Amino acid sequence: MTNESFNPNIAGVQESEEYKNKIAQEKAEQERNLTTWQRFAAFFKNGRTRFATGIILLLLSVYLLISFLSFFMGSGAADQNQVQTNTVIENAAHPDRIANAGKVVGASLSQLLIADGVGVAAFILVVWSVTMGLRLVNVKKGKHTHFFAYTFVTLLSIFACSLLVGAVTYDMNLTFFPLGGYFGHFANKWLLGLTGIYGMIAVNIIVLLIWATVCFNTLKALYVRTRNGLNEGRKFLNNRHAGGEKEPGETTLSDFMGGLRTKHEAPQAETGKTDNVQGDDGQDKTTDKTVKRPARKRPTAPKTEPQNGEDGDVATMNEIETGRVSNPDDPTGEYRHYRFPTLDLLENREMRNSVDREEQEANKTRIRETLSKYGIAIKNIDVHVGPTVTLFEIIPEDGVRINKIKGLEDDIALSLAALGIRIIAPMPGRGTIGIEVPNRDPQVVPMRQVLASKAFQESKAKLPMCLGCTVSNEVFVADLTKMPHLLVAGATGKGKSVGLNAIITSLLYKKGPSELKLVLVDPKRVEFSIYADLEKYFFAKVPGDDKAIVTDTQKVVRTLNSLVQEMENRYSILEEVKVRKLEDYNEKWRRELRDIRDEKGDKKYQFMPYIVAIVDEFSDMIMTAGKEVETPIVRIAQKARAVGIHMIIATQRPSANVITGLIKGNFPGRIAFAVSQMMDSRIIIDRSGAQQLIGRGDMLFQIDGEITRLQCPFVDTPEIERICDFIKEQEDRDRDINHDVLILPEYVGNDENGGGGTADTSNLKERDPLFEEAVRWIVQGDTASTSSLQRRYEIGYNRAGRLMDQMEAAGIVGPAQGGKPRKVLVSPLDVDQLFG
């Protein structure tokens, strides 16, 4: 029999190996039974995998942040064309075409996520990537964020942010793309069309509330962590002081945020650390190591009713609408009862946007494509939509010559299928190039809308004129006193008469009878006849005229010369009281001069109103009266600004013999409506452009060399009639009050004093005002003929013949010699003696 020894160590090793094999087999069996999702989850439970994924997410967040910031700093506009027209492979082959710091991938992701996606909300994706990366890298227990919950909150935040930013910036063109991205913009556009403006606002508020409700737990956790950290810091600081108690009146974070706590908040978060202590009854009791602070109710503001006069702007508009505005600031005190016309006298027409977002983007694309065909690269295109035209403001790439873009005017018009475009290269003071494209559906600018605007109501202009809306739909108000004279020209039916009516309406809505007087010249007899009822309050006229509106050519000359005399009289008064301009005189009159009496006991000085002379059909008067009309107009234009006399002349035939150099030189303010030829545009505004206007009130306004395109406001004849009737009713009620029409001084011409006192003129009953000037010109040139007088002074044949007969009767020229010029009988020295 053989004795075998038993080794316990070997038996233990064998048992251990069998156990390990069994465990491995069971683990392998479990892995074979795992689903795909379970395998995916198990992969990310590995510490190395989580760490590597966290590093990847952190690097991705840095790359996205750099690409997004580069996109906003200007590369987005420059790369947009390349990203949208070329593939990623094509762009990768030419990386120098991409300006984004992230190059092709960065530019493509920025365009996709920001411009074509969710706008500025794309930065939330960077925050998510950073947060998840940090959580995955930090593998300590309790530091992991629930992936699905946090991702859901992130997606909801991106959706809500894009929608809300799109609503706030819906009508703003801050960048070349909507700040809420195309998702936010078109979502709000759909809501606006479906539910209106109030429905769109309500939906955005609901989305905001849903976001706040869903994200409350996440925000609450952030608040709890912050509060605990501050409490720990406060405890550390308190331990450094004796006693360590809270100072009286000290406000803690928990005191401030007490109103945000809810009943389901954890007790530990409310009271700090706790200890379990067994009481006498054997039950566990909780004691606090920190003092409990009761939650404080959030204070509510008491409800108060608005006080009288609190809503000042609304009250002012209500007064304007209902006509309760009196004239307490009337300088003379005679018209304190006068009520200004109300806005409800004007039609309440609606004005809508005629160019939608899709049409703007389509036109931008066509402009880019047209310019790119000719090798012109564009950095950015901004769009400004106006009532009549849309302005595309282009920023070209460096090195692009402006003349190249100017020469493509017809090509751009063809690609846009527009009636005609206008290129402004460069735009003054902007450093850009403007392309004005007519809208397919031009809108009318209502007069009521521009008069009710803040720009007009709060205007500090002395003689404000509402000239219309700019290409950015901004109300444009000009001051006539700063021009100080205005030239209006344009072809027939293009809006000239409506423009003059808009100017008069603006003045009537802003100035009272004691501050403004009108002199209206209307050779056609029908344009200004509607204002005849305002004679008692607003007109100035020559003594003896039965009508306030001047229609006869001879009376026009007399009226203009009376204005010249009024100008001279005012200058004499200003010299006497030692002031330099009308505003200073009126201010001094209010303080000192109003109570000064003359020898008869009458007031020595009177308040000086502004006088605005509006002359329509100026070309017709030049044809019939020539220098007789031009001379006083030029004299007024040269000198009358300081004494408050301002001229507005209008013509539908802007030819060089009508708008002469003297007229242009003294009328710095000019309005050009649509004309048929480039030469006409150059005569009016010294450059081309007016021939490309589309009519219906489309105009160019020039002052000091700067040109602004405007759409003139529309005021219809029934509206003007209601305004005049409103004022006429007040005139009828004031019949017993002495409100006399402003009478201009009577003009004393050469015909009154014998034309200068020649000896041989006793047989002449009257002498022409041009007699002396014509005699000097005839004698100096040593030639006398009727036709030469016609050409020189642009007068008719009958008047030139009368001048020649007067010279013959005075012994200055000889008798007629058939077709030959008359013989001059005197020398220049004799003329000096005769007229000396």
Side-chain angles (χ1 to χ4, degrees):
M1 180 176 180
T2 305
N3 294 328
E4 295 180 359
S5 62
F6 176 74
N7 190 345
N9 294 329
I10 296 176
V13 171
Q14 292 176 349
E15 183 178 357
S16 177
E17 290 178 353
E18 291 176 358
Y19 177 76
K20 290 180 179 180
N21 291 334
K22 184 178 179 179
I23 295 298
Q25 291 175 0
E26 290 178 355
K27 186 176 181 180
E29 184 66 20
Q30 290 177 357
E31 289 179 355
R32 284 194 297 268
N33 295 331
L34 289 177
T35 62
T36 304
W37 176 252
Q38 290 173 334
R39 293 176 185 274
F40 181 79
F43 176 81
F44 280 96
K45 287 182 179 179
N46 184 278
R48 295 178 182 177
T49 304
R50 295 173 64 86
F51 184 85
T53 305
I55 294 297
I56 293 174
L57 287 176
L58 289 175
L59 294 176
L60 177 63
S61 64
V62 173
Y63 179 78
L64 288 177
L65 181 62
I66 293 175
S67 300
F68 289 174
L69 291 177
S70 178
F71 181 86
F72 272 93
M73 293 173 66
S75 68
D79 297 339
Q80 187 181 40
N81 187 44
Q82 299 293 334
V83 171
Q84 291 181 344
T85 57
N86 301 329
T87 63
V88 175
I89 304 300
E90 292 174 344
N91 287 329
H94 303 280
D96 55 328
R97 297 178 180 176
I98 303 299
N100 194 289
K103 288 304 176 182
V104 178
V105 175
S108 300
L109 287 176
S110 300
Q111 178 69 27
L112 175 65
L113 296 176
I114 299 178
D116 298 337
V118 293
V120 294
F123 282 94
I124 299 177
L125 186 62
V126 177
V127 177
W128 175 89
S129 182
V130 171
T131 305
M132 294 305 301
L134 292 174
R135 292 293 185 248
L136 291 174
V137 169
N138 188 3
V139 294
K140 294 182 180 180
K141 186 177 179 179
K143 293 295 183 179
H144 304 316
T145 300
H146 197 286
F147 175 81
F148 295 102
Y150 188 68
T151 302
F152 174 74
V153 171
T154 301
L155 293 176
L156 180 61
S157 301
I158 292 174
F159 167 80
C161 180
S162 176
L163 191 67
L164 292 172
V165 173
V168 172
T169 62
Y170 184 77
D171 288 329
M172 302 180 186
N173 293 321
L174 301 178
T175 58
F176 70 95
F177 67 93
L179 284 180
Y182 283 119
F183 168 77
H185 179 80
F186 287 107
N188 282 283
K189 181 179 180 180
W190 179 78
L191 289 173
L192 184 63
L194 188 65
T195 62
I197 182 65
Y198 298 107
M200 183 185 75
I201 296 174
V203 170
N204 278 272
I205 293 175
I206 292 172
V207 170
L208 179 62
L209 294 177
I210 293 174
W211 175 85
T213 303
V214 172
C215 299
F216 180 78
N217 290 332
T218 303
L219 297 175
K220 184 180 69 174
L222 178 63
Y223 154 66
V224 170
R225 290 183 182 179
T226 305
R227 184 194 63 185
N228 291 340
L230 292 175
N231 286 338
E232 292 293 332
R234 187 179 65 250
K235 289 178 182 178
F236 173 79
L237 293 175
N238 289 339
N239 290 335
R240 301 182 62 180
H241 298 281
E245 297 294 333
K246 190 181 83 166
E247 294 293 331
E250 180 184 356
T251 302
T252 65
L253 183 63
S254 58
D255 291 332
F256 178 75
M257 299 293 290
L260 296 177
R261 296 184 186 135
T262 57
K263 293 181 179 180
H264 63 273
E265 187 174 352
Q268 288 79 3
E270 177 71 31
T271 60
K273 296 181 180 180
T274 62
D275 286 339
N276 291 332
V277 181
Q278 190 175 19
D280 296 336
D281 55 356
Q283 299 294 329
D284 290 341
K285 295 183 178 180
T286 302
T287 61
D288 294 338
K289 288 187 178 180
T290 59
V291 179
K292 283 189 178 182
R293 299 179 178 89
R296 299 170 61 186
K297 294 184 179 180
R298 184 178 298 177
T300 57
K303 295 182 179 180
T304 58
E305 296 296 330
Q307 301 296 324
N308 293 335
E310 183 175 322
D311 194 359
D313 294 337
V314 176
T316 301
M317 288 305 298
N318 288 337
E319 289 178 351
I320 294 174
E321 291 285 350
T322 58
R324 289 184 280 113
V325 177
S326 59
N327 192 19
D329 297 328
D330 179 73
T332 63
E334 299 179 4
Y335 297 94
R336 291 184 179 272
H337 63 284
Y338 174 77
R339 294 196 307 161
F340 287 90
T342 58
L343 292 178
D344 55 9
L345 300 174
L346 302 171
E347 294 291 339
N348 191 13
R349 301 180 179 89
E350 292 185 359
M351 182 179 173
R352 56 185 177 85
N353 192 355
S354 59
V355 181
D356 56 16
R357 185 73 182 183
E358 290 82 357
E359 184 177 348
Q360 295 178 30
E361 294 299 326
N363 287 338
K364 287 172 62 176
T365 302
R366 294 190 187 101
I367 291 175
R368 284 184 180 274
E369 291 175 351
T370 303
L371 296 178
S372 63
K373 290 178 182 178
Y374 296 93
I376 300 175
I378 301 299
K379 287 183 180 180
N380 187 28
I381 299 180
D382 291 332
V383 182
H384 306 281
V385 180
T388 304
V389 298
T390 299
L391 173 64
F392 294 89
E393 194 170 353
I394 296 175
I395 303 177
E397 291 285 357
D398 296 337
V400 175
R401 298 186 63 182
I402 294 178
N403 291 334
K404 293 182 64 177
I405 299 179
K406 282 185 175 181
L408 298 177
E409 185 173 311
D410 295 335
D411 299 274
I412 298 175
L414 179 63
S415 66
L416 298 177
L419 296 176
I421 66 172
R422 176 172 170 261
I423 295 180
I424 311 170
M427 295 189 68
R430 302 290 292 272
T432 58
I433 297 173
I435 300 179
E436 294 177 342
V437 180
N439 298 337
R440 296 180 181 178
D441 183 20
Q443 299 298 307
V444 173
V445 177
M447 193 70 197
R448 177 169 179 166
Q449 178 175 322
V450 296
L451 291 182
S453 66
K454 184 178 180 180
F456 182 76
Q457 292 294 331
E458 299 182 1
S459 174
K460 303 300 182 182
K462 297 179 178 64
L463 288 177
M465 303 183 300
C466 255
L467 298 183
C469 289
T470 65
V471 294
S472 301
N473 262 336
E474 298 175 353
V475 176
F476 189 91
V477 180
D479 190 355
L480 182 59
T481 60
K482 294 182 178 180
M483 293 183 191
H485 310 289
L486 181 63
L487 170 65
V488 182
T492 304
K494 301 303 181 182
K496 176 173 57 64
S497 297
V498 175
L500 295 178
N501 288 328
I503 291 174
I504 296 175
T505 302
S506 301
L507 296 175
L508 292 178
Y509 268 84
K510 206 68 173 179
K511 291 297 178 181
S514 62
E515 301 172 287
L516 173 68
K517 297 299 178 182
L518 300 174
V519 175
L520 301 184
V521 178
D522 182 17
K524 290 195 297 187
R525 305 172 185 266
V526 293
E527 292 295 341
F528 296 148
S529 60
I530 195 172
Y531 298 104
D533 291 337
L534 307 182
E535 175 180 350
K536 184 176 179 181
Y537 273 1
F538 283 102
F539 276 84
K541 64 180 184 179
V542 177
D545 285 353
D546 54 346
K547 295 181 180 179
I549 299 175
V550 185
T551 57
D552 183 75
T553 303
Q554 294 301 324
K555 292 183 178 180
V556 169
V557 176
R558 183 184 177 196
T559 302
L560 292 175
N561 285 319
S562 294
L563 279 175
V564 174
Q565 190 64 45
E566 172 71 12
M567 174 186 71
E568 298 294 346
N569 293 347
R570 289 191 172 193
Y571 270 116
S572 299
I573 296 175
L574 263 60
E575 180 184 14
E576 182 179 342
V577 299
K578 299 179 181 180
V579 294
R580 300 180 60 183
K581 56 183 179 178
L582 177 131
E583 290 80 8
D584 296 341
Y585 169 83
N586 286 336
E587 184 64 28
K588 190 172 184 178
W589 181 87
R590 290 186 179 96
R591 297 193 318 266
E592 308 172 11
L593 305 178
R594 65 187 309 165
D595 296 328
I596 298 178
R597 304 282 176 172
D598 58 12
E599 297 177 354
K600 298 180 180 180
D602 298 330
K603 287 186 177 182
K604 185 176 182 180
Y605 300 103
Q606 302 293 332
F607 183 85
M608 291 186 186
Y610 289 102
I611 299 178
V612 178
I614 304 178
V615 180
D616 195 15
E617 298 299 335
F618 179 66
S619 60
D620 179 74
M621 289 186 295
I622 288 294
M623 292 177 62
T624 56
K627 291 289 184 180
E628 289 182 285
V629 171
E630 183 181 7
T631 300
I633 287 179
V634 171
R635 290 195 63 193
I636 293 172
Q638 289 174 338
K639 295 176 56 179
R641 173 180 183 174
V643 292
I645 301 177
H646 304 277
M647 294 287 299
I648 300 176
I649 61 175
T651 179
Q652 64 181 7
R653 192 169 67 88
S655 56
N657 60 338
V658 174
I659 305 177
T660 61
L662 284 174
I663 295 294
K664 292 175 64 176
N666 292 284
F667 282 75
R670 302 175 195 174
I671 292 179
F673 289 91
V675 295
S676 57
Q677 299 177 3
M678 183 188 299
M679 185 58 65
D680 294 339
S681 176
R682 293 185 180 277
I683 292 174
I684 304 171
I685 57 176
D686 297 325
R687 67 187 71 182
S688 63
Q691 77 280 3
Q692 297 168 323
L693 300 178
I694 63 175
R696 297 181 60 186
D698 188 18
M699 68 182 189
L700 297 176
F701 172 69
Q702 181 188 42
I703 182 69
D704 297 331
E706 182 178 349
I707 291 184
T708 305
R709 189 167 186 173
L710 303 171
Q711 175 62 36
C712 180
F714 178 72
V715 53
D716 204 359
T717 301
E719 298 174 276
I720 301 175
E721 289 177 347
R722 288 194 291 269
I723 295 172
C724 294
D725 291 341
F726 181 86
I727 300 175
K728 181 66 165 57
E729 290 177 0
Q730 300 183 63
E731 292 182 356
D732 293 339
R733 289 195 297 267
D734 294 346
R735 288 179 178 176
D736 298 333
I737 303 177
N738 185 20
H739 293 317
D740 294 331
V741 178
L742 176 63
I743 301 299
L744 299 174
E746 188 169 1
Y747 172 70
V748 179
N750 289 339
D751 55 341
E752 298 291 329
N753 58 15
T758 57
D760 299 326
T761 58
S762 57
N763 59 335
L764 296 178
K765 297 181 179 179
E766 60 180 4
R767 177 162 296 167
D768 195 283
L770 289 176
F771 180 80
E772 180 180 345
E773 183 180 352
V775 167
R776 292 183 181 277
W777 181 74
I778 288 290
V779 173
Q780 185 177 3
D782 198 23
T783 179
S785 66
T786 304
S787 59
S788 63
L789 288 176
Q790 284 183 270
R791 292 191 299 270
R792 171 66 178 177
Y793 296 104
E794 297 178 2
I795 58 178
Y797 178 83
N798 292 334
R799 187 180 179 191
R802 288 196 301 270
L803 272 171
M804 196 59 64
D805 292 339
Q806 292 173 10
M807 293 181 193
E808 182 182 355
I812 297 174
V813 297
Q817 300 178 4
K820 298 180 180 180
R822 295 173 182 251
K823 185 177 180 181
V824 179
L825 303 178
V826 295
S827 65
L829 182 61
D830 297 331
V831 173
D832 291 338
Q833 293 177 354
L834 290 174
F835 296 104

